[in-house]
Amino acid sequence: MTSIAIIGAGRGLGAAVARQFGREGFGVALISRTRDHVDALAADLGAEGLNARGFAADVRDPAALTAALADAASALGPVEVLQYSPLPHRDFMKPVLETTAADLQGPFEFSVQGPVTAVRQVLPWMLAEGRGTILFVNGGTAVQPHSERAGTSVAFAAESAYAQMLHETLTDRRVHVAQLIIPGAITAGDPRKDPGVLAGTLWTMHRERTGFRHFAEPMDA
């Protein structure tokens, strides 16, 4: 068995993706800062017959994130799919004229250091096996910067550049890297941005392995 590691797993999109991939036979590693939250979610998924485990790590702590992914692979099988989708902190979203250089450290650690750490942990197995998928999930500021959300605009742009370089570099080595842009809020019942719909989109991205950037809904120019 192989697994999907969902970094930033919560009761919304993370839970929906866990159910989508778990039903397809993947072990599910739920990773977030709060162990109690992911353990409770794992218990709920287990009651539904899915093989899920919770692991605690702050994405801004490279050692903790590396250890969580290593423990996930030991417990659930090698990570064949990595999803990087933690929700950014509210204090990353200051207006640009109020944003200092120090204010960008947190967003950079969150959106660049975190994914680089995660990718470097799971990629050796993917390259050795010639298969695997890395999914980045970002908000609209990843492609359209917003002056009232400077930290995430800058950091998501950097994360997007890293993800696209991975896509271009790894395609010929049979590791697929893709990004899903979700403009605005994830909304239950929305025909495009309901968690279950988005989980289906991410499953399709994994299975069809076409292109780099995908949009949950069109964005205004």
Side-chain angles (χ1 to χ4, degrees):
M1 176 183 289
T2 59
S3 63
I4 176 172
I6 304 169
I7 298 177
R11 291 280 175 181
L13 179 61
V17 171
R19 290 185 172 93
Q20 176 73 55
F21 281 77
R23 288 194 297 264
E24 298 290 344
F26 284 84
V28 180
L30 306 163
I31 301 175
S32 83
R33 288 186 301 165
T34 307
R35 183 61 182 261
D36 289 347
H37 292 174
V38 286
D39 282 350
L41 178 55
D44 290 346
L45 295 169
E48 298 173 21
L50 305 180
N51 183 19
R53 291 274 300 273
F55 303 88
D58 187 333
V59 299
R60 297 169 64 181
D61 182 341
L65 184 54
T66 297
L69 287 165
D71 290 346
S74 295
L76 296 165
V79 177
E80 183 178 349
V81 181
L82 173 70
Q83 177 174 306
Y84 194 84
S85 55
L87 286 174
H89 299 259
R90 289 187 178 276
D91 60 3
F92 294 172
M93 302 182 194
K94 293 181 179 179
V96 66
L97 295 182
E98 298 174 16
T99 299
T100 67
D103 289 328
L104 294 177
Q105 181 176 345
F108 180 86
E109 292 172 348
F110 191 89
S111 295
V112 180
Q113 175 182 286
V116 171
T117 298
V119 168
R120 290 184 65 83
Q121 176 62 26
V122 303
L123 189 58
W125 181 88
M126 294 181 179
L127 291 175
E129 294 295 316
R131 61 191 171 111
T133 302
I134 301 170
L135 300 168
F136 292 82
V137 180
N138 294 103
T141 55
V143 291
Q144 288 185 1
H146 194 300
S147 63
E148 295 299 307
R149 301 173 191 141
T152 54
S153 294
V154 171
F156 280 175
E159 182 181 343
S160 296
Y162 174 65
Q164 187 162 0
M165 288 187 291
L166 286 177
H167 171 81
E168 294 168 356
T169 301
L170 295 174
T171 295
D172 290 342
R173 302 184 71 175
R174 293 185 289 181
V175 175
H176 183 57
V177 180
Q179 180 186 49
L180 177 62
I181 301 294
I182 305 173
I186 296 172
T187 307
D190 187 276
R192 292 174 171 169
K193 296 191 293 182
D194 177 85
V197 173
L198 294 169
T201 299
L202 288 159
W203 174 254
T204 299
M205 290 164 60
H206 162 65
R207 293 294 297 167
E208 294 187 354
R209 307 172 72 80
T210 57
F212 168 65
R213 180 168 290 151
H214 303 257
F215 290 87
E217 67 179 7
M219 292 186 66
D220 296 332

